[in-house]
Amino acid sequence: MSGLGRNTEDTITTPNQHFEGNILNPSSDPSIKAHASKGRNTSGRSWKLRPQKRASSLITKNRANARSKSWEARQQERALKAEVKSAQQQMLEERIQAKRDKRERRLENERRRMENEYNNAKKNMQTLNHKKLGTTMRAMNKKQLRQIKKTRMNTKTGAIEFVGAYEK
C-alpha cells in the first residue's frame, strides 16, 4: 500500500469524483446529447441522461490504481498473512489447552475430595451387626436410616466413594 503513494499519478479513492459536462443540460456535451434522445429511462430517473459508470471501472482505468504490485510486495503480503494466520492458530491452541488443563485439574480435585471424604467416613464408620440387623433397622428412626451409606466406585474419577443406601 505504501508503494502506491510514491507514484506521480494520484489514486482515486472515492469513485465518482468528476464527470465532464452538465448532465442536467443535455446540450452542454455532444455525448450526453446523443443519449438524451434515446427516450425515457426504464428506471424513471429522468435526470440521468447519460449512461452511468460503475465505480470499479473508474478505479481500474486509473493507471495508478490498476498497476500490479511488485513480486516483493506480494511476497511480503503473503508472509504477513501467513504470520497472522499462525498467530491466530497458536492463540486457538493455547485456549484449547487451557480448557483441557482446567478440566483435568477439576477432575483431579474432585477425585481427591472423594478420596478424603471416603477416608474420613471410613474412620467414623460403624458396621451393622448382621445377626441383629433386622431389629437394629426397626429400632432406627428416619434420620438414622438416612445416614446409612454404601461404598461404590465412581466411574468418572475411579475413586471409591460413600453414597446413600438408595442411590443409583
Side-chain angles (χ1 to χ4, degrees):
M1 288 291 163
S2 62
L4 294 176
R6 283 186 251 134
N7 199 9
T8 56
E9 203 170 12
D10 289 336
T11 59
I12 296 176
T13 53
T14 55
N16 294 325
Q17 287 184 355
H18 179 69
F19 288 114
E20 297 297 324
N22 183 1
I23 61 169
L24 298 176
N25 183 9
S27 59
S28 67
D29 189 33
S31 66
I32 296 174
K33 194 173 188 179
H35 290 292
S37 62
K38 279 191 172 180
R40 190 165 164 260
N41 278 348
T42 313
S43 63
R45 295 181 170 112
S46 58
W47 62 90
K48 290 190 173 181
L49 298 174
R50 62 174 166 70
Q52 302 296 303
K53 291 182 179 175
R54 296 263 179 213
S56 58
S57 71
L58 290 172
I59 290 170
T60 53
K61 282 193 175 136
N62 185 335
R63 280 204 335 264
N65 289 335
R67 189 176 64 240
S68 63
K69 295 174 189 167
S70 69
W71 176 253
E72 291 82 20
R74 280 186 289 183
Q75 289 298 94
Q76 198 173 6
E77 277 187 13
R78 274 196 201 116
L80 186 66
K81 268 187 191 175
E83 195 177 317
V84 167
K85 198 172 184 179
S86 68
Q88 284 178 340
Q89 187 66 29
Q90 186 180 357
M91 287 167 63
L92 183 69
E93 285 173 6
E94 283 174 4
R95 275 206 311 265
I96 291 170
Q97 189 58 40
K99 278 186 179 180
R100 282 188 190 138
D101 293 345
K102 193 174 181 181
R103 183 170 182 265
E104 281 179 31
R105 200 167 52 248
R106 193 183 70 238
L107 286 172
E108 180 63 28
N109 288 343
E110 188 179 333
R111 191 183 61 74
R112 255 192 299 115
R113 195 183 71 239
M114 290 292 189
E115 278 180 16
N116 291 341
E117 195 178 304
Y118 174 71
N119 290 334
N120 290 336
K122 201 162 69 168
K123 288 174 192 168
N124 302 329
M125 143 177 115
Q126 294 175 345
T127 54
L128 291 170
N129 187 345
H130 292 290
K131 292 175 186 169
K132 300 181 186 174
L133 187 62
T135 54
T136 311
M137 294 286 278
R138 270 188 239 105
M140 287 181 166
N141 60 26
K142 274 189 180 180
K143 193 173 182 182
Q144 288 170 323
L145 288 169
R146 267 190 248 119
Q147 295 302 315
I148 297 174
K149 304 279 186 194
K150 65 178 181 181
T151 58
R152 78 160 179 211
M153 182 176 283
N154 187 339
T155 54
K156 194 162 54 171
T157 59
I160 297 173
E161 60 185 4
F162 275 115
V163 292
Y166 302 104
E167 283 185 33
K168 290 185 180 182

